[in-house]
Amino acid sequence: TSALDYFKSALNLRKTHCVDQFQDVMKTLQSMGNIYVELGRWDSVFSSFEEAVVLRNKNKVEQEEADAKIFFDLGNAFRQVGKYDDALKQLSLALAIVIKTCGEEHEEVADMYFHIEIVYSDMGDFIISQDYYEEALKLKRQYHGEEDIKVPKILHKIRKD
């Protein structure tokens, strides 16, 4: 928890002395949220991420990369506690931003598809899950070819399902 203590201190300092630098506060809240995920402290996870989103909305931040990261982290946290509809909503927001900023055939889109696939798999919807796996695999092949270790792992998962 020493990392958590560090971020708590940083958050207090930033909230007190760097009021106009709300983006640093957002990043600190996101980091704390990720630490809380590792600790399994779910109430704190959601309060950290939600505070970052409120701060983002209040200050009308339009840094799409930061938005995608917030939505991605929140989506993964929702998945880990079984809130699959909320997870899909957040991950879909992140996916839309990544597609807008990077294009439809970017490797980060493949990563988003992979995480959405995991949610559908956790929900037991293996048909939709497989569709996302295949899209992720197609994009991974474009970037890495068949020889990359990531591609066989995804391909193995498709064949196993």
Side-chain angles (χ1 to χ4, degrees):
T1 61
S2 61
L4 184 58
D5 293 336
Y6 165 79
F7 282 111
K8 284 180 181 179
S9 296
L11 181 63
N12 288 333
L13 285 170
R14 287 180 171 146
K15 281 183 172 181
T16 305
H17 301 289
C18 305
V19 178
D20 60 331
Q21 295 177 2
F22 57 87
Q23 292 169 331
D24 289 337
V25 174
M26 285 174 45
K27 288 178 186 175
T28 302
L29 287 165
Q30 284 177 258
S31 296
M32 289 174 63
N34 288 322
I35 291 170
Y36 286 130
V37 165
E38 295 298 318
L39 296 173
R41 293 175 51 188
W42 299 108
D43 289 341
S44 298
V45 168
F46 296 114
S47 66
S48 292
F49 288 141
E50 288 167 1
E51 188 177 345
V53 170
V54 167
L55 191 59
R56 170 208 173 270
N57 291 340
K58 177 182 170 189
N59 291 286
K60 298 181 179 146
V61 175
E62 296 203 13
Q63 285 187 322
E64 292 172 328
E65 185 178 309
D67 290 351
K69 179 74 172 127
I70 289 172
F71 296 137
F72 177 79
D73 289 344
L74 194 51
N76 282 325
F78 278 128
R79 183 192 67 78
Q80 291 184 35
V81 295
K83 294 184 176 186
Y84 301 122
D85 290 335
D86 292 329
L88 288 173
K89 179 181 174 185
Q90 298 302 318
L91 291 171
S92 295
L93 289 169
L95 174 63
I97 292 168
V98 170
I99 288 172
K100 180 180 175 187
T101 57
C102 300
E104 291 183 6
E105 296 189 0
H106 195 275
E107 186 174 15
E108 284 188 42
V109 173
D111 294 337
M112 290 293 168
Y113 285 156
F114 178 71
H115 285 278
I116 292 171
E117 177 283 325
I118 292 171
V119 176
Y120 279 111
S121 181
D122 288 350
M123 293 170 65
D125 195 335
F126 299 111
I127 292 174
I128 294 176
S129 172
Q130 181 147 347
D131 290 343
Y132 277 99
Y133 253 130
E134 289 173 358
E135 285 299 314
L137 178 62
K138 182 177 88 176
L139 291 173
K140 288 291 186 183
R141 280 181 173 146
Q142 286 178 353
Y143 278 88
H144 301 286
E146 293 290 336
E147 300 304 315
D148 187 272
I149 192 162
K150 294 177 187 176
V151 173
K153 283 183 178 178
I154 292 173
L155 189 56
H156 172 73
K157 177 71 173 165
I158 290 172
R159 291 184 180 146
K160 193 170 95 176
D161 293 341

